[in-house]
Amino acid sequence: QITLKESGPTLVKPTQTLTLTCTFSGFSLSTSGVGVGWIRQPPGKALEWLALIYWNDDKRYSPSLKSRLTITKDTSKNQVVLTMTNMDPVDTATYYCAHVSRAGFEYWGQGTLVTVSS
Amino acid sequence: SSELTQDPAVSVALGQTVRITCQGDSLRSYYASWYQQKPGQAPVLVIYGKNNRPSGIPDRFSGSSSGNTASLTITGAQAEDEADYYCNSRDSSGNHLFGGGTKLTVL
């Protein structure tokens, strides 16, 4: 059974750096073809893909946010960490992590709401 | 620029068939995947690849593609199918993108 869970602060101040951790079970990020991605969704708005890291440490970032994002993995801990710098109120959203396979974003975490406010 | 375009809202009578479309240049080269999202819940993958359903997804959901357009068809829509539907694809750089979503209302 594959599960993922996002953790991190629920409130950050403008200009701060957000660090989110995705802790997963039921699969290994050392398995060929597997990845973990991050997606966010502002309240009442659409999904937005942020970043993705694969088993071989290949990383992809949303072109519009690339300068602010860093994704890393710790295979031994079954964790993927996303950092986003220079947070702004428009970054207020529910942040999801998801297991990635050839099928796509196959399994999702429950999401964590991050509010950016002073 | 890479983007996926969806109609904001679609409605269907209970038991009828509805098609939700997604347009984008990346769809000429890569299949779309489709996600169902109900209020307050995480998205669920319903269709991927040429026309594949994950385990547990009813067979009334199907997918197709032609040119720059991918479609999700629900044959015999049920009340529980009322949700937001998002398409997703990748581009040649390996980046992903989501469509703006379609709100499906079952009448």
Side-chain angles (χ1 to χ4, degrees):
Chain A
Q1 180 190 6
I2 290 177
T3 64
L4 305 97
K5 188 171 184 178
E6 307 86 355
S7 59
T10 58
L11 179 66
V12 297
K13 297 183 187 303
T15 76
Q16 287 186 335
T17 293
L18 172 68
T19 299
L20 293 173
T21 300
C22 177
T23 303
F24 56 86
S25 64
F27 68 95
S28 172
L29 245 187
S30 59
T31 300
S32 178
V34 172
V36 171
W38 286 93
I39 305 98
R40 71 178 179 180
Q41 185 173 39
K45 296 188 177 181
L47 301 172
E48 179 183 18
W49 173 72
L50 300 177
L52 195 157
I53 188 165
Y54 289 102
W55 85 102
N56 59 358
D57 211 39
D58 185 19
K59 302 169 186 178
R60 294 285 183 261
Y61 297 100
S62 167
S64 62
L65 293 168
K66 186 174 184 177
S67 64
R68 299 173 54 204
L69 296 172
T70 302
I71 190 169
T72 60
K73 64 180 175 70
D74 186 329
T75 305
S76 64
K77 292 184 178 179
N78 282 352
Q79 291 182 331
V80 170
V81 175
L82 180 76
T83 61
M84 180 180 290
T85 61
N86 195 25
M87 293 293 285
D88 183 272
V90 300
D91 297 313
T92 294
T94 296
Y95 288 75
Y96 297 98
C97 65
H99 166 280
V100 178
S101 69
R102 291 183 64 184
F105 298 94
E106 198 168 2
Y107 301 92
W108 294 62
Q110 63 190 24
T112 184
L113 176 62
V114 178
T115 301
V116 184
S117 175
S118 55
Chain B
S1 63
S2 296
E3 63 178 28
L4 297 176
T5 302
Q6 297 183 240
D7 290 329
V10 172
S11 62
V12 61
L14 184 67
Q16 296 304 300
T17 297
V18 62
R19 176 175 292 184
I20 298 170
T21 61
C22 174
Q23 289 187 305
D25 288 342
S26 64
L27 300 177
R28 295 184 184 279
S29 304
Y30 301 98
Y31 288 117
S33 53
W34 290 92
Y35 301 83
Q36 176 193 70
Q37 187 180 33
K38 297 181 179 179
Q41 298 183 19
V44 173
L45 177 67
V46 294
I47 290 289
Y48 67 94
K50 190 174 184 179
N51 181 18
N52 300 292
R53 285 175 288 105
S55 174
I57 302 301
D59 60 6
R60 62 179 179 271
F61 289 88
S62 63
S64 62
S65 184
S66 178
N68 73 335
T69 301
S71 300
L72 172 70
T73 300
I74 307 174
T75 304
Q78 302 299 302
E80 60 264 32
D81 300 333
E82 186 162 291
D84 294 328
Y85 289 86
Y86 293 92
C87 60
N88 164 259
S89 181
R90 55 161 289 178
D91 64 18
S92 57
S93 298
N95 297 320
H96 281 258
L97 58 162
F98 284 92
T102 297
K103 181 177 181 62
L104 176 66
T105 301
V106 180
L107 303 172

